[in-house]
Amino acid sequence: MLTSTRNPLVKQLRALGESAKDRKEQGLFLVEGTHALTEAIATAYPLSIVCCTEKWITANPDLYNHIKVSVDEIERLEIVSEDVLQAIATTKNPDGAIAAALLPSREVAQISTLGLALETIQDPGNIGAIIRSAVAVGIDGMLVSSDSVDLTNPKIIRATAGQWFRCPMQTSTNIADDIRKLQAQGVKAIATLANAKKTYWDYDFNQPTLILLGNEGNGLSQELIEIADESVSIPQSDRVESLNVAICAALLLYEAKRQRAVSQG
């Protein structure tokens, strides 16, 4: 059992939770908690290191045995003390298991029916909530601009309740160019704007669609507004200045799901 909080492994894993730079340098990111670890294993996501406590093993024997038989794919499996786990974790009350997973590949997200493009989203809770809605609706994939919060931020992964591993995502270094490539393939890009005359209820989501959502405070950039094929608004009371971007995403995604269910009828 690993009991020293000064062990190099502790420092290595703790750095993953603190810095996007360290995650990039190591090629790894943290997966914290039983729920997220279960989803990673269920989706066959590649894990490099798994740390767990004896108490966790007792409570999760089947999951632990599954990890043990996967030791050929996992480079390191460590039983650690509660203190060591706490030293690694980014949460105050970790539930007994933490893993390091390989950073996702840079393959282009294959979006042909329904997708999202997120520009300069800064709140990890918002991106986490958007991912949960995206998986629930069943989108093809999601583009996220590189100036958004890092997709492997531990807060994002926690906010997705494990669904992070079920959402095809790509960090885009030039989101405008990536949107244009999808448009060239027949996907319509729709911008969400407060002053758009057309509401999202009036848009035909039966056609291949990429929904564009912008920064929490400033909305979409002028560049993305100009390249969009159409703009839609979300009707709301004059007493409300704006809606949370994760709420906007859920509303549009579920309208798309509703329309498509009706058309398939």
Side-chain angles (χ1 to χ4, degrees):
M1 180 189 290
L2 188 61
T3 59
S4 173
T5 57
R6 296 183 179 181
N7 188 282
L9 180 65
V10 176
K11 182 179 180 181
Q12 176 193 356
L13 296 182
R14 185 164 54 208
L16 297 179
E18 295 173 344
S19 163
K21 179 183 177 183
D22 280 297
R23 292 193 287 274
K24 185 176 180 180
E25 288 177 353
Q26 293 191 43
L28 300 170
F29 67 98
L30 275 189
V31 178
E32 298 183 82
T34 305
H35 196 122
L37 183 57
T38 300
E39 289 297 316
I41 291 170
T43 56
Y45 196 92
L47 301 175
S48 177
I49 303 167
V50 178
C51 297
C52 55
T53 64
E54 289 185 329
K55 183 178 179 181
W56 183 87
I57 294 171
T58 301
N60 301 275
D62 292 341
L63 186 55
Y64 179 68
N65 287 332
H66 185 94
I67 293 169
K68 280 183 69 178
V69 299
S70 304
V71 75
D72 289 341
E73 292 83 32
I74 298 169
E75 293 180 15
R76 188 168 179 178
L77 173 59
E78 289 284 353
I79 300 174
V80 301
S81 68
E82 300 282 350
D83 287 344
V84 166
L85 196 82
Q86 183 68 68
I88 297 169
T90 66
T91 57
K92 290 183 179 180
N93 298 298
D95 75 357
I98 290 179
L102 301 185
L103 284 181
S105 69
R106 294 184 177 274
E107 294 178 6
V108 176
Q110 299 300 315
I111 299 171
S112 58
T113 59
L114 182 63
L116 287 170
L118 308 182
E119 183 187 34
T120 323
I121 306 297
Q122 299 298 320
D123 186 334
N126 281 336
I127 290 191
I130 290 170
I131 290 171
R132 290 183 73 176
S133 295
V135 173
V137 168
I139 71 169
D140 298 330
M142 190 165 77
L143 299 173
V144 183
S145 66
S146 56
D147 58 354
S148 296
V149 63
D150 178 54
L151 284 173
T152 56
N153 184 299
K155 292 180 180 178
I156 290 180
I157 297 167
R158 287 201 300 273
T160 68
Q163 296 308 303
W164 189 96
F165 299 97
R166 298 184 183 276
C167 184
M169 292 175 281
Q170 175 195 352
T171 298
S172 174
T173 55
N174 191 323
I175 197 165
D177 279 355
D178 286 334
I179 291 169
R180 290 188 185 98
K181 290 174 185 176
L182 290 170
Q183 288 174 308
Q185 297 166 18
V187 178
K188 297 292 185 183
I190 64 164
T192 47
L193 301 177
N195 59 356
K197 294 181 179 179
K198 190 175 191 176
T199 74
Y200 76 106
W201 297 323
D202 301 318
Y203 176 81
D204 181 9
F205 280 101
N206 287 297
Q207 58 190 321
T209 299
L210 182 70
I211 299 168
L212 314 184
L213 295 164
N215 176 263
E216 291 91 340
N218 301 317
L220 287 167
S221 67
Q222 191 61 36
E223 182 180 20
L224 293 200
I225 292 171
E226 289 175 359
I227 68 174
D229 296 292
E230 292 191 52
S231 298
V232 298
S233 62
I234 298 174
Q236 58 193 48
S237 166
D238 292 339
R239 292 172 291 181
V240 177
E241 183 178 345
S242 64
L243 288 174
N244 172 274
V245 66
I247 297 296
C248 292
L251 288 170
L252 271 72
L253 289 172
Y254 271 92
E255 175 62 12
K257 185 176 179 66
R258 184 195 69 81
Q259 287 188 22
R260 293 174 183 205
V262 169
S263 66
Q264 292 171 4

